[in-house]
């Protein structure tokens, strides 16, 4: 048994790490965040030029053929830098859904651009009423001649504000929360009837809600088989969970490093505050939360590309549950250990703390995944 | 044992309710209940109404314009005002510096400052903490040197809440470096408009401007602004810190926040049903409601003991820690209740006059920000770790 990355994987992670270190100072991140695009176009371009946006795609598409492990290595470094580029949305989710379910023509049309970073994708899978259940789809796609007419609303589409193409779920049959009857559509951002309400996110990125008012797309926009989208979505969300676990680990690593450093350096009552046992034990607890999260991230990556099974579902639910809880623990206890300074905008720790809480609100929080795990619980 | 209010206390509660029904401006209550931002003007408008009623200074003797309420009456006021959405009074003037001036100040200081606090003419802020002196407050370094009939003040204060609105600051300053840290501190009243004072905002992680740094460079402060004796400031500061003995746990605020949470969870959906009907989520709400119930009774036990002339000890410090944990737990649940919509930060919806479409729930916009902001509850005014140190050292003898 060997839990280390192989040489190639290590090189990949080092490449991302170097790039992030060079381009992503805390000050620059704030600038990127406040720009209209909401992230760095230049950094995104560099990710593309170094082939990092192509990591999960097959070699014939200029990709790397990377698995969940490679994707996770990239995400961990992006997490360490608190990068706000839409890697998860465009590459893992958008590109991932197209490569999983797309026909040759769709792959040809979209994947080259997504893999190179020139085309940006985002996914509209949640709705205002759906909470975290991706089968709770009320957006409708009605057949009309050879076309589909889409009506409805998709919620909290991170990166959707600047995407060229949106992958949205819509119901072609069935009732609100049925798994059957969900279809996926490729909707170009400039489609008539598509409106976006753009907003900043509390952790420094940007997103939008999508309003679909009689958006008409041709049959070629249907991604995968009609009515069979739920399984595709669930599978890809699982890969995205593994990727997000990687990001979370990167964020937690830095949050723990910063806290530990501060405990050694900050003095009160004539001694470093790290001399107070309550803070020592809390730091140990934070580190052991990080270790739990690391282990579950590794486990999640190892099943990300396996065929779907209850075992895969259980592991991914468990992993997301663990990183949700450990992320919140590290965020809250890290702020507390810092005192007032841990709550300030000017100090990077606070931004790591915010990202950790918001990771819990993406793709289902710890409560949601606990419940999911419980329903999959094996009696023996 | 009797856990009921007396007939007089019930009559008082009716009086409070009648007053709030009639006088509390609806726009202000709506902001408070919806966790929206309050402007300086909102605070001042409400303060004026309270002052006119004679209910602003509930900790002052009547001769200075205070109102003499029993601990139970104060408790009733606290409960009712949280329920109605009364803005928290900014404590620095009325509840912090005023009791110190009343107890230790000169007659001139009382005549000068107390009426201006009552009328709202002065807005005070608290200059205790410094970059190097947080939990270890006594290590503060801001220096005041006596020169003739003035002190010359140099140094820096930080975390000064709402200092951007203030025209007065009460400061702990070092007047003697020769003695033990606690023995060389004085309590000075400083006009913020004095030359040499600079206020710089500190933005908190939720993007709010609520705290500040205050810099002092050769600031000339008249010697008559010293409260009590030179080098005795630590005693006054401690008096101030222990002054407010009830209401510290924020029970009323937690009750209001819990009510807000339940309403929110009744509107949000999960599996097509109101979230509050979801077993797991309703149990989480139930758990915090149970904890709050216990804390509320603990609080009443303290109120009753103070009413009977007792001094609360360890219970009030422990309750303060508990109270902050409960409020933070409620904020955590409110953020969870909006699911993915915790992520967008739609600042325009924080404005009560906002008349566009709400992105999700009408009260969703402030929830994540408030969760982050209220991490402060366990840090300021003596962190929870420091509170526990006090209980274990002073009371348990550890
Ligand atoms: C079921 C059982 C089996 C055992 N088997 C063996 C055995 O086979 N061989 C053997 O040699 N011993 C054995 N022990 C003894 C065991 O190692 C001791 O109980 C243990 O080292 C703790 O010592 P103590 O009980 O004297 O508690 P103490 O050391 O007196 O500790 C009391 C409490 O104080 C805490 N404490 C102590 N020092 C600190 C500190 N510096 N900082 C913070 N907290 C502190 C402890 O964590 C504990 O909570 C056994 C004990 C038990 C209960
Ligand atoms: C939003 C906000 C508003 C504030 N408003 C004001 C104001 O208006 N006026 C004002 O004067 N101050 C104000 N403060 C300052 C507040 O009182 C301090 O933040 C607080 O005293 C903690 O100090 P610190 O932030 O320097 O943390 P530190 O004292 O550096 O503490 C860092 C960590 O170490 C722990 N620690 C420190 N000493 C010990 C010990 N002996 N044992 C165990 N653990 C310990 C702390 O609990 C904390 O977890 C405000 C703070 C905040 C965050």
């Amino acid at each position: 048994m060997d839990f280390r990355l192989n040489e190639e994987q290590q090189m990949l992670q080092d490449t991302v790490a170097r790039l992030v270190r060079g381009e992503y100072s805390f000050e620059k991140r704030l600038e990127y965040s406040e720009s209209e695009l909401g992230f760095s176009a230049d950094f995104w371009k560099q990710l593309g030029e170094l082939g990092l946006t192509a990591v999960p795609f097959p070699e014939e598409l200029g990709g790397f053929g990377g698995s969940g492990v490679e994707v996770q290595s990239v995400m961990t470094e992006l997490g360490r830098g608190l990068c706000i580029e839409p890697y998860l949305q465009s590459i893992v989710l958008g590109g991932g859904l197209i490569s999983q379910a797309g026909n040759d023509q769709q792959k040809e049309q979209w994947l080259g651009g997504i893999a190179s970073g020139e085309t940006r994708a985002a996914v509209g899978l949640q709705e205002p009423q759906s909470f975290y259940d991706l089968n709770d789809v009320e957006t409708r796609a009605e057949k009309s001649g050879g076309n589909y007419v889409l009506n409805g609303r998709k919620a909290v589409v991170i990166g959707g504000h600047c995407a060229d193409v949106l992958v949205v779920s819509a119901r072609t049959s069935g009732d609100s929360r049925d798994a059957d009857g969900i279809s996926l559509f490729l909707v170009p951002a400039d489609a008539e009837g598509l409106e976006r309400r753009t907003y900043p996110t509390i952790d420094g990125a940007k997103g939008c809600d999508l309003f679909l008012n009689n958006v008409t797309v041709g049959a070629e926009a249907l991604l995968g088989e009609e009515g069979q989208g739920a399984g595709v979505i669930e599978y890809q969300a699982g890969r995205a969970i593994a990727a997000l676990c990687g990001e979370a680990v990167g964020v937690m690593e830095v949050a723990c490093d910063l806290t530990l450093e501060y405990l050694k350096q900050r003095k009160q009552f004539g001694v470093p505050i790290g001399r107070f046992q309550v803070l020592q034990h809390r730091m140990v607890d934070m580190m052991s939360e990080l270790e739990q999260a690391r282990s579950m991230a590794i486990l999640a990556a190892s099943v990300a590309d396996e065929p779907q099974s209850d075992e895969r579902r259980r592991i991914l639910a468990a992993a997301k549950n663990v990183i949700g809880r450990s992320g919140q623990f590290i965020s809250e206890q890290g702020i507390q250990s810092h005192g007032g300074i841990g709550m300030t905008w000017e100090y990077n720790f606070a931004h790591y703390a915010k990202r950790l809480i918001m990771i819990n609100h993406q793709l289902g929080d710890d409560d949601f995944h606990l419940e999911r795990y419980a329903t999959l619980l094996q009696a023996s | 044992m009797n856990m009921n209010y007396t007939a007089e206390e019930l009559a008082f509660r009716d009086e409070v309710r009648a007053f709030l029904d009639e006088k509390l401006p609806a726009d202000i209550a709506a902001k408070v209940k919806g966790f929206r931002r309050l402007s300086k003007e909102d605070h001042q408008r409400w303060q004026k109404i309270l002052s006119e009623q004679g209910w602003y200074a509930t900790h002052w003797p009547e001769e200075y314009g205070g109102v003499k309420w029993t601990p139970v009456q104060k408790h009733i006021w606290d409960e009712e005002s949280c329920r109605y959405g009364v803005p928290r009074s900014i404590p620095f003037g009325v509840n912090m510096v005023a009791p110190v001036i009343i107890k230790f100040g000169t007659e001139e200081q009382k005549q000068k400052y107390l009426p201006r606090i009552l009328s709202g003419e002065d807005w005070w802020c608290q200059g205790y903490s410094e970059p190097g002196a947080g939990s270890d407050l006594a290590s503060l370094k801001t220096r005041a040197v006596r020169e003739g009939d003035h002190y010359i003040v140099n140094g820096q204060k930080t975390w000064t809440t709402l200092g951007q609105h203030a025209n007065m600051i009460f400061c702990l300053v070092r007047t003697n470096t020769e003695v033990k840290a606690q023995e060389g501190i004085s309590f000075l009243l400083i006009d913020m408009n004095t030359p040499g004072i600079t206020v710089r905002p500190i933005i908190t992680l939720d993007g709010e401007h609520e705290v500040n740094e205050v810099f002092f460079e050769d600031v000339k402060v008249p010697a008559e602004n010293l409260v009590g004796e030179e080098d005795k400031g630590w005693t006054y500061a401690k008096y101030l810190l222990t002054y407010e003995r009830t209401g510290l746990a924020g029970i009323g605020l937690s009750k209001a926040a819990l009510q807000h949470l339940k309403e929110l969870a009744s509107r949000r959906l999960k599996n097509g049903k109101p979230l509050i009907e979801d077993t797991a989520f309703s149990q989480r709400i139930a758990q915090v409601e149970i904890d709050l119930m216990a804390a509320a009774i603990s609080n009443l036990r303290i109120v009753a003991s103070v009413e009977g002339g007792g001094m609360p000890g360890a219970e009030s410090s422990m309750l303060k820690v508990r109270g902050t944990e409960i409020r933070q737990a409620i904020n955590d649940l409110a953020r969870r209740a909006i699911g993915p919509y915790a992520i967008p930060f739609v600042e325009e919806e924080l404005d009560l006059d906002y008349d566009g479409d709400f992105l999700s729930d009408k009260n969703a916009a402030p929830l994540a920000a408030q969760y982050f902001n209220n991490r402060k509850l366990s840090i300021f005014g003596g962190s929870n770790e420091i509170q526990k140190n006090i209980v274990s050292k002073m009371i348990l003898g550890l």
Side-chain angles (χ1 to χ4, degrees):
Chain A
M1 214 169 274
D2 185 358
F3 283 96
R4 287 170 304 179
L5 298 177
N6 68 29
E7 205 175 317
E8 229 172 274
Q9 293 164 335
Q10 192 59 55
M11 267 170 56
L12 173 69
Q13 183 154 357
D14 293 345
T15 306
V16 190
R18 264 195 310 277
L19 183 63
V20 170
R21 259 202 313 277
E23 292 296 312
Y24 235 90
S25 68
F26 174 60
E27 292 71 25
K28 279 194 190 160
R29 176 183 185 270
L30 288 182
E31 268 174 45
Y32 302 154
S33 171
E34 278 161 20
S35 70
E36 175 149 0
L37 183 62
F39 59 87
S40 165
D42 198 48
F43 181 72
W44 184 252
K45 201 165 153 224
Q46 293 187 57
L47 286 174
E49 283 165 2
L50 289 169
L52 297 168
T53 45
V55 163
F57 301 107
E59 279 162 37
E60 61 269 24
L61 286 164
F64 195 92
S67 70
V69 177
E70 280 81 14
V71 172
Q72 207 173 60
S73 315
V74 175
M75 289 293 289
T76 297
E77 293 308 322
L78 295 178
R80 291 185 61 92
L82 218 53
C83 302
I84 43 186
E85 284 62 30
Y87 195 93
L88 183 75
Q89 282 70 30
S90 187
I91 310 302
V92 181
L93 280 164
L97 283 169
I98 297 171
S99 48
Q100 195 201 143
N103 57 34
D104 289 347
Q105 197 262 327
Q106 288 165 330
K107 288 185 190 170
E108 178 132 359
Q109 185 180 354
W110 296 109
L111 283 187
I114 292 174
S116 71
E118 276 153 53
T119 303
R120 285 188 298 256
V123 296
L125 304 174
Q126 321 181 95
E127 298 190 355
Q129 82 294 341
S130 69
F131 209 59
Y132 297 115
D133 178 5
L134 300 182
N135 288 345
D136 191 337
V137 175
E138 291 183 356
T139 298
R140 294 238 150 226
E142 310 278 352
K143 258 197 177 135
S144 153
N147 294 329
Y148 291 94
V149 181
L150 276 61
N151 277 291
R153 176 174 170 186
K154 306 310 281 188
V156 194
V157 184
I158 311 287
H161 65 293
C162 65
D164 304 299
V165 61
L166 295 137
V167 183
V168 301
S169 57
R171 196 162 277 294
T172 37
S173 66
D175 269 342
S176 294
R177 287 178 305 286
D178 291 349
D180 273 350
I182 297 171
S183 304
L184 285 166
F185 294 92
L186 288 158
V187 181
D190 57 4
E192 202 167 325
L194 179 70
E195 276 173 48
R196 312 190 233 198
R197 177 169 172 187
T198 296
Y199 38 73
T201 67
I202 196 153
D203 53 356
K206 271 190 179 167
C208 66
D209 271 26
L210 296 177
F211 296 83
L212 300 128
N213 302 310
N214 292 320
V215 172
T216 306
V217 292
E220 76 284 355
L222 177 70
L223 185 65
E225 279 175 60
E226 187 180 291
Q228 299 301 304
V232 177
I233 293 169
E234 187 195 11
Y235 190 78
Q236 204 59 35
R239 279 183 168 149
I241 284 173
L244 200 52
C245 287
E247 180 189 350
V249 166
V251 179
M252 286 185 223
E253 284 172 357
V254 178
C256 285
D257 287 350
L258 288 170
T259 307
L260 180 57
E261 207 176 291
Y262 193 73
L263 292 186
K264 291 177 178 169
Q265 161 225 323
R266 169 70 170 172
K267 283 193 174 153
Q268 287 290 276
F269 303 100
V271 295
I273 56 175
R275 292 274 286 278
F276 302 124
Q277 196 172 54
V278 61
L279 299 188
Q280 292 170 347
H281 287 192
R282 185 174 299 154
M283 191 69 235
V284 173
D285 289 341
M286 286 167 67
M287 297 304 292
S288 79
E289 289 290 333
L290 168 59
E291 289 306 328
Q292 293 280 89
R294 266 194 189 123
S295 296
M296 291 309 286
I298 291 170
L299 188 59
S302 77
V303 300
D305 303 297
E306 293 292 308
Q308 186 64 294
S309 66
D310 274 358
E311 183 64 2
R312 178 180 183 270
R313 291 187 173 99
R314 263 194 298 274
I315 285 173
L316 291 165
K320 190 66 173 61
N321 171 267
V322 168
I323 64 152
R325 288 186 297 134
S326 50
Q328 180 161 357
F329 184 87
I330 288 170
S331 173
E332 292 181 349
Q333 300 307 320
I335 291 176
Q336 185 68 22
S337 302
H338 275 86
I341 201 81
M343 293 194 46
T344 57
W345 189 271
E346 279 175 52
Y347 178 43
N348 57 358
F349 176 84
H351 298 265
Y352 284 87
K354 284 200 288 185
R355 179 68 194 130
L356 285 176
I357 297 295
M358 290 306 135
I359 284 176
N360 205 16
H361 285 267
Q362 278 176 278
L363 299 167
D365 67 3
D366 52 314
D367 288 339
F368 176 83
H369 285 286
L370 180 65
E371 192 178 321
R372 189 171 153 83
Y373 190 93
T375 62
L376 295 163
L377 207 59
Q378 277 174 314
S380 58
Chain B
M1 198 162 311
N2 178 2
M3 289 173 60
N4 299 318
Y5 289 133
T6 64
E8 295 83 58
E9 286 161 355
L10 286 175
F12 175 75
R13 193 176 68 183
D14 289 341
E15 192 188 346
V16 167
R17 287 181 179 172
F19 166 71
L20 293 176
D21 280 330
E22 191 192 341
K23 294 286 172 60
L24 177 63
D27 61 322
I28 293 184
K31 283 191 188 177
V32 173
K33 288 193 155 179
F35 303 120
R36 302 307 205 277
R37 286 177 184 147
L38 288 163
S39 65
K40 182 175 184 181
E41 187 276 331
D42 291 329
H43 282 291
Q44 287 173 325
R45 180 153 50 108
W46 173 240
Q47 184 195 326
K48 207 153 165 261
I49 297 170
L50 269 184
S51 275
E52 278 161 11
Q53 175 77 4
W55 285 1
Y56 181 54
T58 56
H59 294 287
W60 304 11
E62 281 163 308
E63 52 175 315
Y64 299 113
V67 56
K68 203 166 179 302
W69 279 348
T70 65
V72 172
Q73 283 178 314
K74 283 180 191 165
H75 170 74
I76 289 172
W77 169 256
D78 184 51
E79 290 259 301
E80 295 303 317
S81 55
C82 290
R83 212 164 60 82
Y84 273 80
V86 169
R88 290 278 279 167
S89 68
I90 307 292
F92 307 112
V94 64
N95 291 338
M96 290 189 168
V97 77
V100 171
I101 291 175
I102 290 168
K103 175 112 174 163
F104 304 104
T106 61
E107 199 46 43
E108 290 73 38
Q109 287 169 341
K110 291 176 199 173
Q111 294 306 333
K112 177 168 179 190
Y113 294 114
L114 298 179
R116 297 164 62 100
I117 290 173
L118 272 187
S119 71
E121 211 171 325
D122 284 343
W123 184 301
W124 285 84
C125 62
Q126 178 184 27
Y128 277 23
S129 305
E130 297 181 4
S135 298
D136 183 12
L137 184 58
S139 68
L140 61 93
K141 290 205 171 69
T142 296
R143 192 80 170 95
V145 179
R146 181 77 185 248
E147 278 182 17
D149 54 2
H150 281 85
Y151 286 97
I152 306 297
V153 179
N154 278 288
Q156 183 194 343
K157 294 294 174 183
T158 191
W159 308 121
T160 322
T161 299
L162 299 182
Q164 73 268 35
H165 298 327
N167 65 319
M168 292 296 297
I169 181 168
F170 58 95
C171 285
L172 292 180
V173 292
R174 185 153 304 286
T175 36
N176 192 337
T177 51
E178 309 288 303
V179 290
K180 247 184 72 185
Q182 285 83 347
E183 287 160 13
I185 292 171
S186 298
F187 197 105
L188 265 191
L189 311 177
I190 304 179
D191 186 331
M192 299 277 283
N193 293 316
T194 321
I197 297 183
T198 316
V199 179
R200 195 185 144 254
I202 298 175
I203 305 301
T204 44
L205 78 173
D206 51 330
E208 280 295 303
H209 176 198
E210 167 178 311
V211 286
N212 302 272
E213 294 177 291
V214 183
F215 298 89
F216 299 85
E217 207 187 323
D218 293 330
V219 175
K220 249 177 110 174
V221 180
E224 72 223 33
N225 286 17
L226 177 75
V227 175
E229 288 175 53
E230 203 174 85
D231 295 350
K232 290 275 162 59
W234 189 250
T235 317
Y236 314 145
K238 278 206 306 203
Y239 171 77
L240 184 161
L241 285 175
T242 55
Y243 190 78
E244 171 97 326
R245 286 206 177 269
T246 53
L248 271 181
I251 300 292
L253 291 170
S254 282
K255 284 185 178 172
L258 184 66
Q259 185 55 37
H260 183 274
L261 168 65
K262 288 188 197 169
E263 288 164 14
L264 180 73
S266 309
R267 291 191 300 266
R268 301 308 295 165
L269 294 179
K270 184 184 167 196
N271 293 328
K273 285 185 312 201
L275 183 58
I276 201 159
E277 290 171 22
D278 177 70
T279 308
F281 202 81
S282 66
Q283 286 182 354
R284 271 184 175 265
I285 296 179
Q287 190 66 79
V288 73
E289 185 163 317
I290 290 168
D291 287 344
L292 180 56
M293 187 186 293
I297 299 298
S298 303
N299 190 47
L300 282 177
R301 285 168 54 209
I302 294 171
V303 170
S305 111
V306 177
E307 180 96 0
M311 284 291 274
E315 316 84 66
S316 72
S317 292
M318 290 191 284
L319 186 60
K320 190 189 170 189
V321 172
R322 254 311 139 103
T324 61
E325 288 168 354
I326 289 171
R327 263 175 82 196
Q328 289 175 338
I330 296 170
N331 291 158
D332 176 45
L333 289 181
R335 194 199 74 240
R336 284 170 181 270
I338 51 172
Y341 278 114
I343 299 175
F345 186 47
V346 191
E347 214 169 347
E348 60 269 22
E349 291 183 13
L350 295 182
D351 186 351
L352 201 67
D353 297 330
Y354 175 75
D355 60 359
D357 291 331
F358 285 96
L359 183 67
S360 61
D361 190 88
K362 64 179 160 56
N363 281 334
L367 293 178
Q370 191 199 33
Y371 158 81
F372 287 117
N373 184 282
N374 271 347
R375 299 317 301 173
K376 73 187 174 194
L377 298 178
S378 48
I379 296 174
F380 66 10
S383 71
N384 282 8
E385 289 77 15
I386 295 296
Q387 299 291 340
K388 289 179 188 175
N389 283 353
I390 292 171
V391 175
S392 62
K393 282 208 189 72
M394 303 296 176
I395 296 148
L396 305 180
L398 290 169

